[in-house]
């Protein structure tokens, strides 16, 4: 199978951990241990988040724009993933980390409504102070506040052809980190950086679709998508169609983009997306753990032989 | 021809310029304009320095180790080169920037004698103060002082096979930035980061040799290698054999590693290396500008049909 695995931010840095190289590396090592068994017999693409990393880098006094920070974090995180995963694989297994640019549309309505939280959480007063000092937009995230930036939809992944060629040669490819380096065309038709963060679950879904992946897995810190999360009625979803999943409401936050990305991928490709814990990755690939999102029941039975709930 | 071009630090950030994204991008654009005409009809690999960038990032309070900073700068600089060069090429021309790890030997004598300057220049007193505060080694560089770190020889470039596959498909490949992400094997046979900076001219020479490049070009801010530089007798070297070039002394600094890398490449491969200004890149490729370093005269006449001085 050709599998795209999108690693959530917590696979790289747990909430509250300092962003040291050691902490990131320790988390990446755990992720690499979960991913290594998938390499034999599959074509594996790995993407990853970069929210905490970009957020902290963006705090610096002379911070680079978000496209450059995106490129820096693709370098930093991609390197750690490639090295740690490489240490668990046979020496002759090739791996490659490609910088990946993703195009957004300057007319995307997201530019009018910044919504993607980056960086640390603050209390309201501190957040409002920073907003006025630094020209940020800040919004509540749970009971804390965070800086938010526009998060336009990914329209195009630029390095698809080289990625495709490397996959065909059996290379494990790490790419589209942090949703890709955000870019857009200016009036002269030149590609430029965009001061946004692209949702990594959407960008990876686009990558998975464009590369004809058989399966798109989003690894997160929950073992499944839950209905009524945070209430006594909370219950995990197993196998669902995208139509069923779309009929539920999910609070904006980390799960909602995953649900939308899974539905989009299943609908566009007629293939399967899965959301769950990295610890269950083998079972998620097999279709027996996490929330498994497929197209309509009839189609799915045909496509991958698993009856849907 | 398969050509490796190593861009000097000044192609990315001129001495004294602030390390803003704008300044770097403006310099990268000039470099891209010089490189773009080489793409048609050649296989082009581009590497680059990262000395000023890594040096400045390493100044931060909670600075990452040098391998992680190397990975960050490969991301940042590689992105800018790929984007600016891509803007000058036909839309269908594929480009790819690969993170590149390079292996060093933990027993390399360089670990006993840190010699590679990174970051800004200080006056002596300031440099000694920083050295005692941060545990740095500092050394004179011209009439100023700079931090120095070990610079062991590159022993192996890890991503050669994917790079080779991409070149065969006609992809312009940007790789081995900053001499590669420095790594070495620990006692358990696991690859780890190394707290060093690998000379980019040596690493790119190794890359060029391993990939059977026909030509290895080092672009710098001088139009050639000069004998008696800084004296009234200063004179540029045109076509020389590596034996002749090796017979001269060059002060340690930016030109000496280039001379050694050129001699090494010419001797190991029987092919040509060139050192000169990016503005002369076409003529350097043609063999009519810069310092052209070849193997012994007889061999050279056979190999690329140019008589040597």
């Amino acid at each position: 199978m050709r599998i795209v695995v999108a690693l959530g931010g917590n696979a790289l840095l747990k909430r509250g951990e300092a962003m040291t190289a050691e902490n990131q590396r320790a988390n990446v090592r755990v992720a690499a241990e979960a991913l290594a068994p998938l390499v034999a017999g599959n074509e594996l693409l790995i993407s990853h988040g970069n929210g905490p990393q970009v957020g902290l880098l963006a705090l610096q006094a002379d911070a680079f724009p978000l496209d450059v920070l995106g490129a820096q974090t693709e370098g930093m995180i991609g390197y750690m993933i490639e090295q740690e995963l490489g240490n668990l694989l046979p020496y002759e297994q090739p791996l490659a980390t490609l910088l990946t640019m993703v195009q957004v549309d300057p007319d995307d309505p997201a530019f009018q409504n910044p919504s993607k939280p980056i960086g640390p959480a603050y209390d309201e007063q501190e957040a409002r102070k920073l907003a006025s000092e630094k020209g940020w937009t800040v919004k509540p995230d749970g009971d804390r506040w965070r800086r938010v930036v526009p998060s336009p939809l990914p329209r195009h992944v630029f390095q698809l052809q080289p990625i495709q060629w490397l996959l065909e040669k059996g290379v494990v490819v790490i790419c589209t980190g942090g949703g890709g380096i955000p870019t857009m065309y200016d009036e002269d038709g030149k590609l430029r950086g965009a001061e946004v963060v692209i949702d990594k679950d959407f960008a990876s879904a686009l990558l998975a679709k464009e590369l004809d992946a058989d399966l798109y897995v989003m690894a997160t810190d929950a073992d499944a998508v839950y209905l009524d999360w945070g209430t006594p009625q909370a219950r995990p979803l197993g196998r669902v169609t995208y139509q069923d999943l779309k009929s539920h409401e999910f609070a904006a936050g980390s799960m909602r983009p995953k649900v939308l990305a899974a539905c989009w991928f299943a609908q566009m490709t007629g293939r399967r997306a899965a959301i769950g814990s990295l610890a269950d990755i083998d079972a998620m690939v097999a279709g027996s753990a996490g929330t498994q999102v497929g197209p309509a029941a009839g189609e799915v039975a045909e496509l991958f032989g698993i009856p849907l709930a």
Side-chain angles (χ1 to χ4, degrees), chain A:
Chain A
M1 281 205 291
R2 179 171 289 184
I3 307 172
V4 172
V5 179
L7 298 175
N10 77 305
L12 309 165
L13 195 66
K14 305 228 179 301
R15 266 173 224 274
E17 278 184 342
M19 198 183 76
T20 61
E22 292 73 22
N23 284 343
Q24 292 181 85
R25 199 178 269 285
N27 289 316
V28 166
R29 199 167 295 163
V30 172
E33 281 163 5
L35 292 171
L38 292 184
V39 173
N42 294 301
E43 290 181 351
L44 183 62
L45 283 119
I46 302 165
S47 71
H48 58 81
N50 71 346
Q53 288 84 358
V54 156
L56 282 171
L57 292 175
L59 288 178
Q60 293 164 3
D62 302 314
F64 289 122
L66 290 172
D67 60 326
V68 175
L69 295 182
Q72 282 192 336
T73 57
E74 282 195 352
M76 171 172 70
I77 301 169
Y79 158 60
M80 291 185 183
I81 294 172
E82 181 173 338
Q83 189 179 69
E84 294 296 335
L85 185 57
N87 276 335
L88 301 172
L89 297 173
Y91 185 81
E92 60 276 14
Q93 170 64 50
L95 299 98
T97 306
L98 265 85
L99 293 189
T100 319
M101 292 190 273
V102 169
Q103 182 186 351
V104 302
D105 180 346
D107 295 327
D108 194 296
F111 283 96
Q112 307 309 318
N113 179 29
S115 65
K116 176 83 179 172
I118 63 169
Y122 306 96
D123 63 38
E124 181 176 349
Q125 193 184 355
E126 204 179 353
R128 290 194 185 280
K129 184 158 165 281
L130 284 164
S132 81
E133 278 171 17
K134 296 185 183 251
W136 291 353
T137 305
V138 295
K139 287 188 181 169
D141 182 29
D143 55 357
R144 305 271 282 164
W145 285 62
R146 292 176 76 189
R147 178 184 176 195
V148 289
V149 297
S151 187
L153 285 175
R155 299 292 179 174
H156 175 63
V157 179
F158 280 97
Q159 284 78 6
L160 285 175
Q161 185 64 78
I163 293 168
Q164 172 81 23
W165 285 325
L166 292 176
L167 285 176
E168 287 167 3
K169 292 285 190 181
V171 180
V172 173
V173 178
I174 298 150
C175 65
T176 326
I181 303 169
T183 63
M184 57 192 187
Y185 284 104
D186 67 14
E187 293 131 20
D188 301 322
K190 299 296 181 193
L191 197 63
R192 303 288 174 224
E195 191 65 0
V196 306
V197 167
I198 302 169
D199 185 276
K200 76 152 202 317
D201 295 312
F202 291 172
S204 302
L206 180 60
L207 176 79
K209 171 186 169 288
E210 296 291 317
L211 289 172
D212 270 331
D214 299 292
L215 173 63
Y216 173 36
V217 178
M218 284 167 272
T220 181
D221 47 3
D223 62 356
V225 178
Y226 281 72
L227 294 180
D228 299 319
W229 177 251
T231 75
Q233 289 76 44
R235 56 201 184 280
L237 286 167
R239 294 172 184 161
V240 292
T241 62
Y242 71 85
Q243 293 96 329
D244 183 25
L245 190 54
K246 271 186 163 172
S247 70
H248 300 288
E249 279 295 318
F250 296 92
S254 72
M255 199 51 89
R256 190 154 177 263
K258 287 180 178 36
V259 164
L260 294 176
C263 290
W264 181 85
F265 179 78
Q267 182 167 7
M268 295 297 283
T269 66
R271 292 174 179 173
R272 180 165 57 111
I275 301 170
S277 166
L278 196 59
D280 299 330
I281 187 91
D282 279 350
M284 272 206 285
V285 169
S288 57
T291 295
Q292 299 278 335
V293 187
E299 299 168 68
V300 170
E302 250 180 74
L303 278 162
F304 55 96
I306 298 173
L308 289 187

